[in-house]
Amino acid sequence: LSRDGMKVAYFVPHGESYGPGFGDIRNEVWVKSLVDGTEVPVPADDYSSWFPLWSPDGTKLIYNRRNLRTNEHQLMLWSSQTHDHEQLAAPNTPMLVWDWSRDGKWLLGEHEGDIWLIPFPLEPRAETAAQKVVSNPAYKLYQPHLSPDYRWIVFEAVVSIEI
């Protein structure tokens, strides 16, 4: 839900499975206006897209996508004003973004079981400017979110079991 409560972004399974197993069905990200009820795909392509997240001002949407045939991952940015989208990080940078700072200058995400702050807008090689916030080799850390006063980060910690 955008912070102004005017639109919602969500992802849904769509189309056929490209192979066996969980995650092989293509997902599409959609945006729905809660004012007039219109819905649009963000964008409709051959990628599987998920985890949409609105910018603080509600004009941009960050989401992840994956080519189901090549398994290439991308972090994407979509404009609700122009409907253009662009890749934010180098291909196969496995970053899931879960929150956006109120001032729009930082993204909070997870990468390989660690929690990171990422400067926004991302410049070329922004992955190197990211700051690891917390890491613990005994745990995989997931779904970080900033507290309403932006003083705390809450996340899920799952015991890391090496097989």
Side-chain angles (χ1 to χ4, degrees):
L1 184 64
S2 61
R3 291 186 187 187
D4 63 6
M6 304 295 271
K7 53 192 171 232
V8 65
Y10 57 95
F11 70 96
V12 294
H14 182 76
E16 304 174 10
S17 172
Y18 288 100
F22 177 76
D24 291 331
I25 293 177
R26 187 169 62 88
N27 297 307
E28 286 184 347
V29 171
W30 283 73
V31 170
K32 180 175 184 168
S33 167
L34 299 179
V35 176
D36 63 16
T38 58
E39 294 179 274
V40 295
V42 178
D45 57 23
D46 290 334
Y47 286 80
S48 183
S49 302
W50 65 95
F51 296 137
L53 178 67
W54 286 110
S55 63
D57 65 4
T59 63
K60 299 172 192 72
L61 193 69
I62 285 183
Y63 64 97
N64 289 82
R65 74 180 190 173
R66 177 173 67 103
N67 184 315
L68 293 172
R69 290 186 173 90
T70 66
N71 204 33
E72 179 184 82
H73 289 255
Q74 297 174 337
L75 183 61
M76 302 297 294
L77 181 70
W78 179 79
S79 168
S80 65
Q81 297 166 325
T82 66
H83 291 207
D84 291 335
H85 63 112
E86 64 182 284
Q87 186 173 313
L88 285 180
N92 291 320
T93 301
M95 180 67 69
L96 293 177
V97 175
W98 291 93
D99 212 346
W100 208 318
S101 67
R102 189 176 339 173
D103 63 7
K105 293 182 180 180
W106 293 94
L107 304 171
L108 185 64
E110 68 181 69
H111 172 66
E112 296 181 354
D114 301 327
I115 306 300
W116 291 79
L117 275 172
I118 307 116
F120 186 85
L122 279 72
E123 301 294 331
R125 313 273 306 148
E127 305 87 61
T128 60
Q131 301 172 16
K132 188 184 296 187
V133 176
V134 64
S135 175
N136 185 325
Y139 296 90
K140 296 289 184 183
L141 310 177
Y142 300 102
Q143 300 182 23
H145 291 279
L146 295 162
S147 66
D149 64 3
Y150 289 85
R151 293 180 55 210
W152 301 94
I153 296 173
V154 64
F155 55 88
E156 179 180 359
V158 178
V159 174
S160 181
I161 300 173
E162 299 296 326
I163 298 176

